[in-house]
Amino acid sequence: MRFSHTGPAPARRDDWQTLKTLWPYVWAFRGRVTLAFACLLVAKLANVSTPIYLKDLIDGLGMPSTQLTVPLAALAGYGLARLMTGVFGELRDALFARVTQGSIQQVASRVFRHLLALSLRFHMGRRTGGLTRDIERGTKGIGFLLNFTVFNVLPTLLEIAMVTGVLLWRYDWIFAALTLATIAAYVLFTLKVTERRMVYRRTMNTLDSQANGKAIDALLNYETVKYFGNETYESRRYDHDMRGWVDSAVRNQVSLNLLNMGQGLIITIGMTALLWQSARGVVLGRMTVGDVVLVSAYLTQLYAPLNFLGFVYREIKHALADMERMFDLLGHHQEVADRPGATVLQADQASLSFDAVDFGYQADRQILHQVSFSVPAGGSLAVVGSSGAGKSTLSRLLFRFYDPTAGAVRINGRDIRDYTQDSVRAHIGIVPQDTVLFNDTIGYNIAYGRPGATQDEVIEAARAAHIHDFVASLPQGYDTPVGERGLKLSGGEKQRVAIARALLKSPPILVFDEATSALDTRTERAIQDQLDRIAQGRTTLIIAHRLSTIVHADHILVLEGGRVVEQGTHDALLARDGRYARMWELQQSRTAETP
């Protein structure tokens, strides 16, 4: 059974819209852009004048021997024009380098910031491999587009205009007409065929991203793949997309060969016609040998880059196709955004309350139903219940990963939507149930709770989380790499790193989401005592499965099916002999049976 499929190639995006999206980043360097274009203009003027000096030089050397002298002016002009072409061309490149790289940096940074600002719902549905490949191709596409537009397309178009003007000025109109007709036929043919070829490129991009996403997904879940012996299954899924990619790549290459043949035919016809007119002019005495050299030099100068222009146009279209996927990421709107005029939360102590909160991840699947509770500043509330009861959803709403569909989450009596998200999250520390670490060192992952913390503060937090002795025993100590997602550490070690990270942040609100679930009983008791000590004076929300860890909580909430079915202190709930009492009895009996 297959649960995913390869969809059709994405719809064509308006290339002008892509260029309009890019333009503000380029125009931010308007001074360099202006100077680069000035250098471009000077370089092309010098380049177009070079054949004129060469014609004068040839005609001067072609005089009878009695009148022959070295045409110094033409020779000097030719040398100076060649020098200016090279110098101003290099200056253009040097000036525009900052524009290209700076634009790439600004776009990449904006996309990255935007991705971090998107909701948890977006990130739960994305494929990391495909996403990173889209960004990588998009930034490379920007570099290609800017470089070849400034260094090839515009110079070639400018040169075409200048050469046409010179031909009209010095010769019969037929030369300019043949030149423009050849160029027009070449450009129209290239545009028509390239547009047809773009569907192959877009399909290649889609299949490449899908294959890369599946490969990274399988590698990130390597252990799961091995557990179920699904190496062949994952290889088949990857190979399916790659075979589709090969088919599109072959069609792309064949169409490219046909395009090149057509372009070569058009250029050959145009060049032959112009040389025929030049030779005919010499025979009729209307043109000199120097004129033939001038026309030939213009043909070489013009059609060589024009032939390259076909490649550049194709690659620019490919670059636009690559950029469109990256810019489309900017079209994903923030599901959770700060309200206009949102204030900054600043508090040393914070009370917490849920006021008749309803919430569902999908419209047809509600998770929480009219959940209400309050925790005074410095108090503790524990939430228990079976899996899927909605316990972890409470912490996601508290962090504003989502907003309630009804009701409100309040800090110090005020709806958290009235505060900025950054300030709310700065006041909350969490030890999540599933601890994922950065592929860096242990010290880095602990210090992530408060970037800029000193080494002594990191060690103090590690001691409080009972992980310092373990880290100190390692050959590299706090500089020990933890691997991808922390896979080099055990579940308990990762969880203690997460506890140290939260303690280092030292916020007024602490959330323990199954904070000791990966620890053995002995370590759990030691850390639980430490957590109880650290929670003193802080508002604490404890999401727990083991009821023995929350018996001292000020208040306990029992969730079932997203509804509060019981609440009270540990003793009061046991005396009620309801759902909580049955859960307690079941866990105590299991503990007693454990040898």
Side-chain angles (χ1 to χ4, degrees):
M1 182 180 295
R2 296 182 60 195
F3 295 94
S4 62
H5 68 281
T6 300
R12 181 181 181 277
R13 176 190 169 107
D14 183 2
D15 290 339
W16 284 111
Q17 182 60 42
T18 302
L19 294 173
K20 283 170 62 178
T21 304
L22 176 63
W23 176 247
Y25 300 99
V26 177
W27 194 237
F29 301 90
R30 58 179 64 86
R32 285 180 173 269
V33 171
T34 303
L35 288 175
F37 276 100
C39 290
L40 167 63
L41 182 61
V42 174
K44 281 302 158 188
L45 285 171
N47 196 40
V48 170
S49 67
T50 300
I52 297 176
Y53 288 116
L54 183 61
K55 164 196 156 34
D56 293 341
L57 183 61
I58 296 297
D59 287 341
L61 294 174
M63 291 181 179
S65 58
T66 54
Q67 303 177 15
L68 181 61
T69 58
V70 177
L72 295 177
L75 186 60
Y78 177 81
L80 181 61
R82 290 294 300 268
L83 179 64
M84 291 179 64
T85 299
V87 169
F88 281 94
E90 294 299 327
L91 282 174
R92 174 204 64 189
D93 295 358
L95 286 168
F96 209 75
R98 174 68 66 176
V99 179
T100 301
Q101 303 306 323
S103 299
I104 291 174
Q105 177 263 319
Q106 289 189 8
V107 171
S109 294
R110 183 187 171 192
V111 171
F112 183 66
R113 288 195 304 269
H114 184 73
L115 289 175
L116 290 179
L118 290 178
S119 69
L120 181 62
R121 195 188 309 275
F122 169 84
H123 288 281
M124 291 178 70
R126 63 169 165 77
R127 279 188 177 272
T128 304
L131 190 66
T132 55
R133 185 63 66 90
D134 289 341
I135 296 173
E136 178 186 359
R137 283 199 307 254
T139 52
K140 287 182 178 178
I142 291 173
F144 189 94
L145 177 70
L146 292 179
N147 283 328
F148 280 89
T149 298
V150 174
F151 302 157
N152 188 277
V153 177
L154 290 179
T156 301
L157 295 177
L158 187 58
E159 193 166 358
I160 288 171
M162 290 180 177
V163 167
T164 303
V166 171
L167 293 176
L168 283 172
W169 168 47
R170 299 184 70 97
Y171 306 112
D172 191 66
W173 65 270
I174 192 66
F175 286 91
L178 284 172
T179 300
L180 290 177
T182 304
I183 293 170
Y186 182 94
V187 170
L188 289 175
F189 176 76
T190 301
L191 289 174
K192 186 176 181 62
V193 176
T194 302
E195 285 297 326
R196 288 175 176 264
R197 294 183 61 241
M198 286 309 298
V199 65
Y200 302 133
R201 180 68 179 202
R202 287 191 171 91
T203 303
M204 287 170 61
N205 283 355
T206 300
L207 293 172
D208 181 49
S209 293
Q210 288 179 352
N212 191 60
K214 289 174 182 177
I216 289 182
D217 202 24
L219 292 174
L220 288 176
N221 294 281
Y222 168 82
E223 291 181 70
T224 303
V225 174
K226 302 296 283 186
Y227 288 151
F228 292 94
N230 281 337
E231 296 91 338
T232 302
Y233 171 72
E234 291 295 341
S235 296
R236 281 201 304 266
R237 293 179 70 221
Y238 178 77
D239 192 53
H240 176 267
D241 285 339
M242 289 305 297
R243 284 199 301 270
W245 179 87
V246 168
D247 290 340
S248 294
V250 170
R251 293 189 184 99
N252 187 58
Q253 182 61 45
V254 171
S255 63
L256 172 61
N257 298 138
L258 294 174
L259 177 60
N260 287 337
M261 287 190 287
Q263 289 171 336
L265 178 63
I266 293 171
I267 288 177
T268 300
I269 293 173
M271 291 182 68
T272 303
L274 281 169
L275 285 174
W276 167 257
Q277 286 296 323
S278 300
R280 185 167 174 271
V282 173
V283 171
L284 295 175
R286 296 198 297 263
M287 298 175 66
T288 65
V289 175
D291 290 319
V292 176
V293 172
L294 183 144
V295 172
S296 299
Y298 275 151
L299 291 175
T300 302
Q301 281 185 200
L302 201 58
Y303 285 127
L306 185 61
N307 185 48
F308 190 56
L309 184 64
F311 160 77
V312 171
Y313 175 75
R314 293 191 302 270
E315 292 304 312
I316 285 177
K317 294 293 290 183
H318 294 168
L320 288 169
D322 292 339
M323 290 163 57
E324 71 183 1
R325 294 179 68 94
M326 181 179 67
F327 283 139
D328 281 344
L329 294 173
L330 297 175
H332 290 275
H333 299 294
Q334 287 181 252
E335 180 181 340
V336 178
D338 289 340
R339 286 176 174 173
T343 60
V344 176
L345 173 61
Q346 293 179 322
D348 294 328
Q349 290 188 322
S351 62
L352 170 65
S353 64
F354 275 54
D355 184 7
V357 169
D358 286 345
F359 176 74
Y361 293 104
Q362 285 88 35
D364 58 350
R365 181 172 171 242
Q366 191 165 336
I367 303 298
L368 299 180
H369 304 265
Q370 293 290 296
V371 172
S372 296
F373 62 82
S374 61
V375 189
S380 61
L381 173 80
V383 182
V384 299
S386 59
S387 297
K391 303 187 298 296
S392 294
T393 300
L394 300 178
S395 65
R396 289 176 173 177
L397 293 175
L398 177 59
F399 272 92
R400 279 206 73 192
F401 290 159
Y402 304 94
D403 281 333
T405 53
V409 180
R410 305 183 190 279
I411 293 179
N412 287 341
R414 189 170 181 179
D415 193 329
I416 60 173
R417 287 171 287 196
D418 293 336
Y419 299 119
T420 62
Q421 295 177 69
D422 288 343
S423 66
V424 168
R425 292 166 187 160
H427 284 67
I428 308 171
I430 185 170
V431 180
Q433 179 180 4
D434 183 19
T435 300
V436 178
L437 304 181
F438 291 96
N439 190 0
D440 209 294
T441 65
I442 293 176
Y444 174 87
N445 277 282
I446 295 176
Y448 199 80
R450 180 156 50 90
T454 66
Q455 181 71 10
D456 289 340
E457 290 171 327
V458 170
I459 292 174
E460 182 182 352
R463 288 185 189 278
H466 287 250
I467 196 175
H468 172 72
D469 292 341
F470 162 73
V471 176
S473 69
L474 299 173
Q476 294 177 269
Y478 284 88
D479 293 326
T480 302
V482 301
E484 188 84 41
R485 294 163 52 241
L487 290 178
K488 292 184 178 181
L489 301 180
S490 69
E493 290 160 357
K494 285 197 298 182
Q495 204 147 24
R496 280 181 281 174
V497 169
I499 292 170
R501 184 166 58 190
L503 299 180
L504 184 63
K505 186 177 182 180
S506 190
I509 299 175
L510 284 173
V511 178
F512 300 125
D513 187 353
E514 305 280 6
T516 58
S517 61
L519 305 179
D520 58 81
T521 304
R522 180 180 177 183
T523 305
E524 178 189 29
R525 288 171 180 168
I527 291 183
Q528 191 62 51
D529 291 340
Q530 193 67 32
L531 293 179
D532 291 341
R533 184 185 66 82
I534 294 165
Q536 294 298 318
R538 290 188 173 92
T539 306
T540 310
L541 176 63
I542 307 166
I543 298 168
H545 174 70
R546 298 180 188 174
L547 303 187
S548 59
T549 63
I550 51 95
V551 293
H552 299 300
D554 297 337
H555 202 73
I556 298 172
L557 212 68
V558 182
L559 279 185
E560 283 296 331
R563 290 181 170 84
V564 178
V565 295
E566 289 181 347
Q567 56 181 309
T569 64
H570 172 72
D571 292 336
L573 289 172
L574 288 181
R576 184 176 296 178
D577 196 24
R579 174 63 178 155
Y580 180 85
R582 289 194 295 273
M583 292 171 61
W584 175 263
E585 182 180 351
L586 180 61
Q587 291 191 14
Q588 290 298 106
S589 63
R590 287 177 178 174
T591 302
E593 293 172 2
T594 302

